Every structure is written in C-alpha cells, then in structure tokens.
Amino acid sequence: MQITRRELMSLAALGLVGGAASVGLTAETPVTERRRTNRIGVSTYSFWHFRGEPTPIESCLEQAAEMGFDGVEILHVHMEEAAKAAGGQVDKPYLRKLKRLAFSLGLDLMGFSTHQGFVTPDEEKRRKNVAHTARCLELAYELGIPTIRVNTGRWGTSKSFDELMANKGIEPRLPGYSDEQGFEWVQRSFEELLPKAEECGVVMGLENHWGLGREAAGVLKVLDAIKSPWLQATLDTGNFLENMYEQMEALAPRAVLVQAKTYHGGGEWYALDIDYDRVATLLRKAKYRGYVSLEMEGKGREGSPGHGDPSESRSIAKGVRRVRHSLQIAVTIAAWSPSFVLTEVTPAAINSASCCGCEALINAMMFDIGCCCRSDRT
C-alpha cells in the first residue's frame, strides 16, 4: 500500500493512525507501508511483589487503563490471593467479572503468568504440576487470554528465593541427578500439556525464569525438542544476568510475549541497566509484533510496593514511557526511507519533554499539531 503525506495527515487528524511521519516530506511524496508499534501492557506483578495484602485485580485494571496501557497481564498467584483476601474465590463468575471490566476499560487481557516446576524425580509432583498447568490453561481460556507464561522449574536446592537470587539464579542439582534427566522430565510434562493447550487455543510461553530455563539455550533446548506451535517462548528482559542482549536476540524469534523489567527506586533483588533502544531494535529485527508487558520490579519507595500508592503508579508510568519511547523510535526509524531526515525524533528529545509519554508527543514533533498531554502527569 502507498499513501501520501496528505492522506496520512488526514488519517492522523481522525485519530486512525499513530506514530510519526518524516520531516521534509512533500505533499505527494509516497510513504512506504510501515508496521505499528508494539502494544504495551502491564503485569499485575507491578502492583504487588508477593508481600503484604494483594492489590485487587480490579484496581490493577483500573489503574492500568488510567495510565494508558493497552492491556494487562495477570499474575495467577496474585489473582488467587486477591480473590481470597476479598473473601471470594477464583470461579467462573469472578473470571467473567474481570473479563467484563477489562473490556469496559478498553483493555486486552493479554497474558497470564503462572508457576509450575517439572525438575523433580518425583513423578507424583510432576503429575500435580501438569494438572495445575492444565487448570491455568482453562483459566486463561475463560478470560480470553491467548498465552500463559510457563516455567521449567528448578532443582529446589536453594533454601529460599532470596538465596537463589543472591547466587544469580544458580543452584546445585539434586545429588545423583543430571540436567539431562531434568530436561527429559520437563519435555515429557509439556508434551502431556500440548493437547490441552490446543483445545483451549492458548499458547504456552516458556520463560527464561531460573532453573533449566535460566539461559536462552535451556529454553530453546525444550522448544526444539518438542517442536509445537503451542509451546513457544516468553522473553523476560530482566532474567538474563550474563550476555543479556545476545541471549535476548537468540530467544526473540520464538517469543509470543516480551516482559520488560524496570527497577525504579532500586530492584527488589537486583537492578539491571537495560538499554531498551537496543532491545527494541533486536525485537524489530526478529519481526516481533506482539505485546510488551511491563514488570516494574523496583521498590519505588520505602515500604511495601503496590496497593495503588501514587508513588508506585508514578514508577510504573515512568517504566512504560521508557519502553514505549524505545519501541516507537525503532519502528519510526525502520518505517521511513533513509533519505528522509529523522534527527528530530530521538530518545533524548522525547525523554527531555515534560509529557506523559503518549504517542501524541511524536505526532506533535512530526506534524506540529501540539501535544494533547496534561502537564501535571508524571
């Protein structure tokens, strides 16, 4: 499809296109077709870090909509704990209420983050984890969520998660067992789950999340052994502690969801200096078109995070601005001919603006139509 700048401006005025046009285009200069920016969601994990009373999922949805996110990824443990704290349970009426609320707020429910572990010689434990994961697939189906985050699990030889994090996610194997045996248990478990995933129409995304999936090579080993469209990858930008960009680049072509970590106020366990301009470029190179889910794992302020605290909301908003800017820049630069001048649209120029970070700033810079953002938003 070829459109002119005049036609693009008309669509922009109607709000039918976002992003940016190039400086210096003539009225009839043809513009090549370009892809939209990735949609940005937020994980409910950003509002509750497994400590204190869980923030109600309804509150997370309302805050996400207010902050301008496109969708929400629900942390399963969070949902169960929040329902219990409210004196209820996760049943079909509860799920339908969440689904209706998200729809009324204009939000996609786009991810479901679950926990399971298959790295154990105990067959009964593996069977229970398979059954648990099958239930999570059913929950995702009820919510209309297209993908769930899954894990390989880990050996469980660390005394606590804090100890595991202190050791950079590395722990010794169970005595008498090998990683190869662990991978066999993981593979068999996921093979058992494939029929349920296909029945529900829900893709499992194996995350680089400690255990045998700590590195991209471990995740890819499982995916390559199973070779199913119903088991792909969830890429977490904050879980590669060595050679992070090389590992992200290896995993990106198989990703169905990307989780973007930010650490405002210092990390709960550690903080990484992630170059999201570079991440956006490698995702574009991998032709990744899916959601990017923000996981704010920073402390934000002294005390327990979450609970709708205004400081926490500002921390999350800062995270989405950073990620959205990088994705917008990568797509903008890729979309227009190299002969056009794009030097006015830079991450530095955007980050220096007093703006809430929405795409209207890009439009303002390129179309000179003025920014719609309120100056009091941070």
Side-chain angles (χ1 to χ4, degrees):
M1 180 178 73
Q2 296 264 318
I3 60 175
T4 66
R5 183 179 185 276
R6 181 175 291 127
E7 291 167 332
L8 187 63
M9 287 287 286
S10 298
L11 292 173
L14 293 172
L16 298 178
V17 296
S22 173
V23 174
L25 284 174
T26 66
E28 300 301 328
T29 302
V31 178
T32 56
E33 183 178 14
R34 68 181 181 88
R35 49 172 286 194
R36 60 170 171 77
T37 54
N38 298 80
R39 290 186 176 92
I40 308 292
V42 62
S43 171
T44 65
Y45 172 61
S46 299
F47 300 91
W48 181 68
H49 293 172
F50 299 98
R51 295 174 182 151
E53 185 177 344
T55 307
I57 300 299
E58 296 90 335
S59 176
C60 295
L61 294 175
E62 289 163 355
Q63 291 183 69
E66 176 64 23
M67 286 187 278
F69 287 97
D70 302 306
V72 170
E73 177 187 10
I74 295 177
L75 176 65
H76 173 239
V77 173
H78 184 177
M79 184 176 72
E80 295 280 357
E81 292 298 316
K84 187 188 303 181
Q89 60 181 333
V90 174
D91 53 15
K92 287 188 176 181
Y94 175 78
L95 297 173
R96 288 166 184 167
K97 181 178 71 171
L98 294 182
K99 188 176 180 180
R100 181 187 58 78
L101 177 60
F103 179 69
S104 71
L105 294 170
L107 292 169
D108 295 334
L109 294 179
M110 49 73 178
F112 196 52
S113 192
T114 70
H115 290 82
Q116 55 283 113
F118 304 118
V119 186
T120 172
D122 188 326
E123 187 174 352
E124 181 58 27
K125 286 184 179 179
R126 296 200 305 271
R127 188 178 297 113
K128 287 181 179 179
N129 275 272
V130 167
H132 163 73
T133 307
R135 177 175 179 267
C136 289
L137 287 165
E138 292 279 5
L139 293 175
Y141 171 78
E142 288 290 338
L143 288 165
I145 296 175
T147 183
I148 70 169
R149 185 282 302 271
V150 292
N151 307 305
T152 62
R154 52 191 179 87
W155 288 106
T157 52
S158 299
K159 294 179 181 178
S160 66
F161 189 75
D162 288 340
E163 179 182 301
L164 181 72
M165 292 296 93
N167 292 326
K168 297 184 177 182
I170 299 171
E171 63 179 358
R173 305 174 189 88
L174 282 172
Y177 295 97
S178 68
D179 282 351
E180 282 305 312
Q181 287 174 297
F183 277 114
E184 288 176 10
W185 299 327
V186 171
Q187 180 180 337
R188 288 204 300 268
S189 299
F190 281 123
E191 286 173 341
E192 289 182 44
L193 286 161
L194 292 178
K196 175 59 70 174
E198 184 172 6
E199 175 190 334
C200 294
V202 176
V203 179
M204 296 179 289
L206 183 58
E207 185 183 328
N208 52 304
H209 191 256
W210 320 124
L212 297 183
R214 181 181 179 274
E215 298 180 351
V219 175
L220 292 171
K221 181 180 178 69
V222 176
L223 301 188
D224 290 342
I226 294 179
K227 294 183 173 67
S228 169
W230 299 104
L231 179 66
Q232 295 298 307
T234 292
L235 191 165
D236 190 318
T237 63
N239 288 354
F240 288 131
L241 303 187
E242 302 91 19
N243 305 313
M244 70 167 76
Y245 303 109
E246 292 80 4
Q247 296 207 70
M248 287 185 211
E249 191 167 15
L251 202 56
R254 308 292 288 276
V256 293
L257 181 67
V258 171
Q259 295 171 334
K261 284 287 200 312
T262 64
Y263 305 94
H264 182 66
E268 289 284 357
W269 292 279
Y270 58 83
L272 300 179
D273 184 13
I274 302 172
D275 183 348
Y276 274 109
D277 294 339
R278 186 170 176 181
V279 173
T281 298
L282 68 86
L283 290 178
R284 178 176 58 81
K285 181 180 177 183
K287 296 181 171 58
Y288 178 72
R289 294 175 178 267
Y291 257 98
V292 175
S293 180
L294 182 74
E295 289 190 329
M296 206 293 285
E297 199 173 75
K299 296 176 182 176
R301 65 180 182 88
E302 291 298 320
S304 177
H307 312 295
D309 178 81
S311 174
E312 188 76 3
S313 296
R314 286 194 293 272
S315 300
I316 296 169
K318 288 178 182 179
V320 71
R321 288 204 302 273
R322 182 183 179 197
V323 174
R324 192 185 292 277
H325 292 165
S326 296
L327 292 168
Q328 180 70 62
I329 291 301
V331 171
T332 299
I333 291 174
W336 309 101
S337 167
S339 63
F340 298 140
V341 179
L342 289 168
T343 53
E344 292 190 41
V345 185
T346 64
I350 294 173
N351 288 328
S352 65
S354 297
C355 177
C356 71
C358 75
E359 293 180 4
L361 179 58
I362 300 286
N363 290 334
M365 296 173 69
M366 304 305 280
F367 293 134
D368 194 26
I369 60 177
C371 184
C372 69
C373 306
R374 301 203 318 265
S375 61
D376 61 337
R377 293 193 63 170
T378 57

